[in-house]
Amino acid sequence: MSEKDFIAHHQASIESGNFQWSAPSNIALVKYWGKKEKQIPANPSISFTLNTCKTITKLAFVKKDNKDSFSFDLLFEGQPKEDFKPKIQKFFERIDTYCSYLKQYHFTIDTENTFPHSSGIASSASGMAALSMNIMSLEKALNPAMSDAYFYQKASFLARLGSGSACRSIKGSVVVWGNHAEIEDSSDLFGVEFPSPIHENFSNYQDTILLVDKGEKQVSSTVGHDLMHNHPFSEQRFAQAHHNISSLKTILETGNLEAFIKITESEALTLHAMMMTSMPYFILMKPNTLEIINRIWKYRNTTQIPVCFTLDAGANVHVLYPENVRETVLQFIKDELLGYCQNGQYICDAIGTGAIKIL
Ligand code: DP6
């Protein structure tokens, strides 16, 4: 598939209607950090789709007379939210070539998250994924002959143009985004479901998200990605991501938890090492992030329970572990880790399957 395959052509006519989708957040195991023009990733990434942390978005549309510009109202939890509008306006502009029908309608976008407001959990992945699913429902209504495969592929393609990691929040439990020699049909343009069966050790894998710092990040992901241009270690880092996905492919197929832990933790620390070695350099971890990491290492050493961590571009810690040790690990988290969280806050999540149509 190339970019031009995503340009919408055939169009029926529809006056008005509405759709509603939920889309989950995702947590990368091999990280996307660095991109080229047009939201093309500098390296492939792979993620677990989450289940509980979601955005739910309703899209109401009605035909309008003026077809020269985009027109939409944005509601967050039922209230007008002006400060989200520029991001959506920019998204519509980016996808205009592929969805020329958008200018024919006035939209009301009504959106909410299942996770607490300003928890430091990025809502851009789930938010852009949920909006893209709704847009594809409209496109499918205009072109009912569209195949299911194309529907999900284009949804991921559009979501990527909103926020790179959002293309991994559409469909599947484990998703790869970016060309990789060993992942069949992988593409820089959209996410694909991990192609082989995943070992049962990873069924319902748990992700407990520890909310260490809910404040605004000092450096946005967009700025961070940009700092990978002219970064002294970028080439090695991009090559390492390819290598780590090859290793993780075998690990996910064979269920080797020890090897899984090594790659996952190394990737999290590498992501933050890239931030610390860019110019300007920055640190998004907090002292409590390191306290938690050390507690996890100590607990794993003494108990041999395969619990590990990963990080996204912030101070929060994702604690990953198999379902069969859930009770024990949750007790450890409550006893030893919650004291390092802001107001003791955490979210219990697990691997999910992707976006769900509500209306
Ligand atoms: C650290 O997808 O938020 O979470 O494409 O600029 O919107 P934009 O960036 P974004 O970057 C996410 C980076 C990450 C790693 C990952 O999810 O792979």
Side-chain angles (χ1 to χ4, degrees):
M1 293 292 274
S2 72
E3 278 160 329
K4 64 177 186 339
D5 295 318
F6 292 111
I7 298 173
H9 293 296
H10 312 285
Q11 280 164 35
S13 176
I14 297 180
E15 284 305 309
S16 64
N18 58 76
F19 298 107
Q20 190 177 30
W21 280 84
S22 76
S25 186
N26 69 77
I27 181 68
L29 303 168
V30 172
K31 309 289 181 180
Y32 149 57
W33 197 244
K35 60 178 159 181
K36 307 176 201 167
E37 288 280 282
K38 297 193 195 164
Q39 293 284 103
I40 298 300
N43 63 261
S45 55
I46 184 167
S47 54
F48 279 160
T49 305
L50 296 183
N51 189 40
T52 308
C53 289
K54 296 183 201 189
T55 297
I56 300 160
T57 299
K58 189 170 180 179
L59 183 76
F61 56 95
V62 56
K63 259 225 165 114
K64 64 181 172 64
D65 295 331
N66 166 359
K67 298 183 175 52
D68 299 334
S69 57
F70 299 111
S71 169
F72 62 94
D73 293 318
L74 190 73
L75 306 175
F76 181 67
E77 293 175 350
Q79 300 298 320
K81 187 86 178 162
E82 290 301 312
D83 39 331
F84 282 4
K85 283 188 88 174
K87 209 171 171 185
I88 305 296
Q89 174 72 27
K90 203 167 149 203
F91 175 56
F92 279 161
E93 286 165 13
R94 278 195 193 161
I95 66 172
D96 186 28
T97 317
Y98 309 102
C99 308
S100 52
Y101 51 86
L102 291 177
K103 281 184 179 152
Q104 297 178 7
Y105 295 98
H106 173 77
F107 295 102
T108 304
I109 304 165
D110 196 343
T111 190
E112 64 187 274
N113 296 329
T114 58
F115 43 89
H117 200 38
S118 67
S119 54
I121 297 187
S123 58
S124 63
S126 52
M128 287 299 173
L131 182 54
S132 300
M133 295 310 299
N134 279 301
I135 291 172
M136 285 313 293
S137 278
L138 170 57
E139 187 170 321
K140 172 123 182 140
L142 295 169
N143 174 17
M146 179 189 297
S147 73
D148 252 21
Y150 183 86
F151 176 87
Y152 283 103
Q153 212 165 58
K154 182 164 175 182
S156 178
F157 174 88
L158 296 179
R160 181 195 107 246
L161 292 171
S163 177
S165 56
C167 77
R168 300 187 312 237
S169 277
I170 301 293
K171 192 168 180 278
S173 297
V174 180
V175 179
V176 179
W177 167 40
N179 274 321
H180 186 279
E182 290 166 45
I183 306 284
E184 216 178 308
D185 299 328
S186 56
S187 169
D188 284 347
L189 300 179
F190 46 82
V192 296
E193 276 191 74
F194 182 73
S196 9
I198 292 157
H199 192 275
E200 61 179 8
N201 281 355
F202 296 102
S203 309
N204 205 21
Y205 218 68
Q206 302 289 303
D207 179 1
T208 303
I209 310 167
L210 305 181
L211 305 178
V212 172
D213 187 71
K214 306 190 293 173
E216 229 2 63
K217 281 189 277 184
Q218 307 105 311
V219 181
S220 71
S221 288
T222 309
V223 172
H225 285 294
D226 219 37
L227 292 172
M228 288 304 282
H229 295 292
N230 305 318
H231 190 288
F233 307 133
S234 59
E235 287 316 310
Q236 295 94 317
R237 160 60 198 151
F238 300 148
Q240 179 196 42
H242 281 266
H243 184 77
N244 280 347
I245 288 185
S246 298
S247 307
L248 206 51
K249 182 173 184 285
T250 313
I251 291 166
L252 290 170
E253 288 161 1
T254 58
N256 183 343
L257 292 178
E258 209 178 308
F260 174 82
I261 289 171
K262 280 189 184 144
I263 301 240
T264 303
E265 292 191 345
S266 161
E267 274 287 325
L269 295 179
T270 300
L271 169 70
H272 286 258
M274 289 300 114
M275 299 172 188
M276 289 191 244
T277 48
S278 57
M279 192 58 77
Y281 40 81
F282 58 103
I283 301 179
L284 296 183
M285 288 186 283
K286 298 282 178 195
N288 282 350
T289 312
L290 293 179
E291 292 285 359
I292 290 169
I293 291 174
N294 278 311
R295 292 274 177 160
I296 291 173
W297 283 344
K298 198 167 158 210
Y299 177 77
R300 192 167 75 223
N301 270 335
T302 32
T303 62
Q304 301 304 312
I305 290 174
V307 52
C308 71
F309 72 87
T310 188
L311 307 167
D312 53 20
N316 295 336
V317 182
H318 289 248
V319 187
L320 302 176
Y321 48 97
E323 191 183 24
N324 65 0
V325 290
R326 187 170 183 270
E327 293 309 318
T328 326
V329 174
L330 266 179
Q331 198 54 53
F332 154 66
I333 290 173
K334 285 178 190 156
D335 293 344
E336 292 198 42
L337 304 184
L338 291 192
Y340 299 112
C341 297
Q342 207 167 355
N343 307 322
Q345 275 190 289
Y346 68 108
I347 297 170
C348 286
D349 212 331
I351 288 197
T353 53
I356 296 170
K357 190 164 194 259
I358 301 168
L359 267 182

